[in-house]
Amino acid sequence: MAGAVSALFLLDIKGRVLVWRDYRGDVSAKQAERFFTKLIEKDGDAQSQDPVVYDNGVSYLFIQHSNVYLMTASRQNCNAASLLFFLHRVVDVFKHYFEELEEESLRDNFVVVYELLDEMMDFGYPQYTEANILSEFIKTDAYRMEVTQRPPMAVTNAVSWRSEGIQYKKNEVFLDVVEHVNILVNSNGQIIRSDVVGALKMRTYLSGMPECKLGLNDRILLEAQGRSTKGKAIDLDDIKFHQCVRLARFENDRTISFIPPDGSFDLMTYRLNTQVKPLIWVEAQVERHSRSRVEILVKARSQFKERSTATNVEIELPVSSDASNPDVRTSMGSASYVPEDEALIWKIRSFPGGKEYMLRAEFTLPSITAEEATPERKAPIRVKFEIPYFTVSGIQVRYLKIIEKSGYHALPWVRYITMAGLEVIIENLCLDFVRNSMFEDPYRPHALAPFQFES
């Protein structure tokens, strides 16, 4: 087991202690002052942005929320990722109780704060961080219940993420399969790396303590059952489950069995190392007419099946900072010049598969330039899009069974969505350069599409 936290501090924006809880007795309140001194030193170092400070045998891990610093101090070797996650859960719990976590809310509710800190961490080890469970036996407001509150069953049994006695008039489960496509393309048009990062997002509105079983077109499972997997199975890599999933059973027979939390949660995340072609291909041709005018011709082509449609497509084209007087024409959608972002934004509400649209833009450039001109800003073309009812990986939910001892009938709903992934810049481009280059983005709900510059 990783080391334990010695103390947890809540500090104001000036480093003064608002609340602190000593768990092991091997640090003092002076550690907050030493931490803040080191933090000020870190602020002066642009290269040091990590949330960890080490000083004289004590490790400090911290996050900032609003005007409050949440910091743990420890003399042992702790799991840094686990403690940072714990601090974020502390923020979520306080926001659940006080609406917003800030200095004033801590001062007004310090009694409840200490009660929560005692329940969320014991002798330096994180314990219960589910706000819904804590709120069942730690009450806010000034008054107290005359009858001593009994800890809920969720604290004393193995299902700490769900309370008993939940009731709904209509029992439903919503499952969203959301995939982010990550593609890296070099300047020669070759795909350097491509993968798919996916998540199974659930919203459950179920009564009682239901047992859920989920089946996917997992190649390992289908082969173990002796079923044909030709063209219908996928290989899941880097799988991460919510704590409700029975891992032992999954390792045995690849069955995803779980008692779900109430409300929204991520059941599973996964990654697929698969060769994926760019879903929206963008080609840009830039031509300078003398020194006073530049013309941009852009072609956008969808490279997915005609039965699918990309929605809310947004293509961001970098423009020189001194460009002016835009004259823009498009074959579909609308385009607007955003000078504060030095970009031309082309928006297409609906982009069916197998279609190609064009944009032509002309800008005026200053005829007089400075003797020592500053280098042009280099930026890639960006594309945002979303494709509903479509997955790149081909993942399918084969079944979703809900079993509860009362025998009620539940309605499962499944939806598939593909988005672009996290922004990763391979090679920046400026409109002044005449060269070939390509690009695609990966992880936020938008993508940097591949593009090409030609003369």
Side-chain angles (χ1 to χ4, degrees):
M1 181 180 290
V5 170
S6 298
L8 190 150
F9 294 86
L10 302 177
L11 313 173
D12 65 12
I13 201 68
K14 296 182 179 180
R16 292 173 297 197
V17 177
L18 299 173
V19 175
W20 79 290
R21 183 66 174 85
D22 185 5
Y23 292 105
R24 304 183 69 89
D26 55 356
V27 300
S28 65
K30 293 182 179 180
Q31 307 301 145
E33 183 179 343
R34 296 188 63 86
F35 156 75
F36 204 73
T37 301
K38 289 292 182 180
L39 182 62
I40 295 175
E41 294 176 0
K42 282 170 60 68
D43 288 342
D45 183 4
Q47 302 297 323
S48 180
Q49 300 295 330
D50 58 279
V52 181
V53 176
Y54 181 80
D55 176 60
N56 196 26
V58 180
S59 298
Y60 305 95
L61 288 89
F62 71 96
I63 63 172
Q64 182 181 0
H65 180 83
S66 185
N67 58 355
V68 176
Y69 286 101
L70 293 87
M71 180 266 290
T72 63
S74 177
R75 293 190 180 275
Q76 300 185 18
N77 185 16
C78 296
N79 186 326
S82 175
L83 291 181
L84 289 173
F85 179 74
F86 171 76
L87 291 177
H88 283 286
R89 293 306 297 266
V90 171
V91 172
D92 294 340
V93 170
F94 285 167
K95 289 174 68 176
H96 175 81
Y97 272 82
F98 317 136
E99 296 296 335
E100 185 55 60
L101 172 58
E102 56 186 20
E103 179 181 345
E104 184 178 355
S105 64
L106 290 176
R107 293 186 185 277
D108 292 343
N109 299 280
F110 70 93
V111 174
V112 179
V113 169
Y114 276 108
E115 288 186 37
L116 290 171
L117 294 181
D118 284 341
E119 294 296 336
M120 286 189 287
M121 180 167 281
D122 184 21
F123 200 53
Y125 294 102
Q127 299 295 315
Y128 310 112
T129 57
E130 296 287 343
N132 291 334
I133 303 303
L134 289 167
S135 61
E136 291 189 20
F137 63 99
I138 296 181
K139 304 295 182 180
T140 54
D141 299 331
Y143 64 88
R144 291 179 176 272
M145 299 290 289
E146 294 182 4
V147 180
T148 304
Q149 293 296 316
R150 179 176 60 88
M153 289 297 294
V155 173
T156 58
N157 66 13
V159 190
S160 62
W161 53 88
R162 185 181 182 88
S163 300
E164 290 191 348
I166 297 174
Q167 293 294 326
Y168 287 99
K169 291 183 178 180
K170 187 177 182 180
N171 295 283
E172 293 181 302
V173 176
F174 298 89
L175 174 60
D176 290 343
V177 181
V178 182
E179 289 190 344
H180 298 273
V181 182
N182 306 329
I183 301 178
L184 301 182
V185 185
N186 66 12
S187 59
N188 298 321
Q190 299 172 334
I191 296 177
I192 300 174
R193 179 178 67 85
S194 70
D195 59 29
V196 177
V197 178
L200 272 60
K201 299 179 176 292
M202 294 193 73
R203 286 178 294 143
T204 61
Y205 306 100
L206 299 173
S207 303
M209 280 286 182
E211 176 79 20
C212 297
K213 294 182 181 179
L214 178 68
L216 304 173
N217 56 335
D218 182 5
R219 186 182 304 277
I220 297 177
L221 173 61
L222 296 179
E223 290 178 350
Q225 295 176 346
R227 300 187 182 186
S228 173
T229 61
K230 186 177 180 181
K232 295 183 179 180
I234 59 173
D235 296 313
L236 297 173
D237 298 321
D238 295 344
I239 302 173
K240 185 177 72 172
F241 288 112
H242 187 273
Q243 61 176 331
C244 66
V245 176
R246 294 182 174 87
L247 296 180
R249 184 165 184 181
F250 179 79
E251 292 172 357
N252 271 342
D253 56 13
R254 305 286 287 191
T255 299
I256 303 175
S257 176
F258 57 97
I259 297 176
D262 186 44
S264 302
F265 68 101
D266 287 355
L267 176 67
M268 183 183 85
T269 59
Y270 61 90
R271 181 177 59 84
L272 297 174
N273 287 320
T274 181
Q275 195 74 4
V276 180
K277 66 179 180 180
L279 297 176
I280 295 183
W281 184 274
V282 178
E283 297 178 1
Q285 180 178 343
V286 181
E287 183 178 355
R288 278 185 175 272
H289 300 278
S290 69
R291 289 177 174 268
S292 60
R293 187 165 60 91
V294 63
E295 189 174 4
I296 307 173
L297 176 64
V298 181
K299 295 180 181 180
R301 184 172 68 254
S302 56
Q303 301 193 127
F304 44 86
K305 295 182 180 179
E306 295 180 0
R307 64 186 181 187
S308 298
T309 301
T311 60
N312 301 321
V313 178
E314 184 176 303
I315 302 174
E316 181 180 331
L317 304 161
V319 178
S320 297
S321 58
D322 53 359
S324 60
N325 300 325
D327 180 13
V328 185
R329 287 161 289 172
T330 64
S331 63
M332 178 61 69
S334 61
S336 59
Y337 177 46
V338 186
E340 60 268 22
D341 295 333
E342 299 179 10
L344 181 67
I345 308 296
W346 181 14
K347 295 182 179 181
I348 304 174
R349 182 173 297 178
S350 178
F351 202 142
K355 295 290 185 179
E356 180 177 287
Y357 300 124
M358 296 182 61
L359 174 146
R360 184 183 298 274
E362 186 174 303
F363 290 88
T364 301
L365 299 176
S367 57
I368 300 175
T369 59
E371 294 182 359
E372 297 181 359
T374 58
E376 285 281 357
R377 179 181 68 95
K378 299 180 181 181
I381 293 178
R382 292 177 169 86
V383 178
K384 304 177 184 179
F385 64 87
E386 179 177 308
I387 308 177
Y389 315 111
F390 173 81
T391 59
V392 176
S393 66
I395 189 172
Q396 293 180 355
V397 177
R398 295 171 49 238
Y399 61 84
L400 176 56
K401 299 178 181 179
I402 299 102
I403 304 170
E404 214 275 333
K405 60 183 180 181
S406 64
Y408 62 71
H409 178 67
L411 299 175
W413 304 89
V414 181
R415 180 174 60 171
Y416 300 90
I417 305 172
T418 294
M419 298 180 178
L422 175 68
E423 181 176 339
V424 177
I425 297 179
I426 303 174
E427 184 174 358
N428 292 335
L429 291 180
C430 171
L431 292 181
D432 281 341
F433 288 109
V434 179
R435 59 194 299 181
N436 291 327
S437 186
M438 318 191 80
F439 204 88
E440 170 123 319
D441 181 53
Y443 207 82
R444 234 176 324 176
H446 78 272
L448 290 175
F451 59 89
Q452 188 172 3
F453 273 29
E454 297 176 351
S455 60

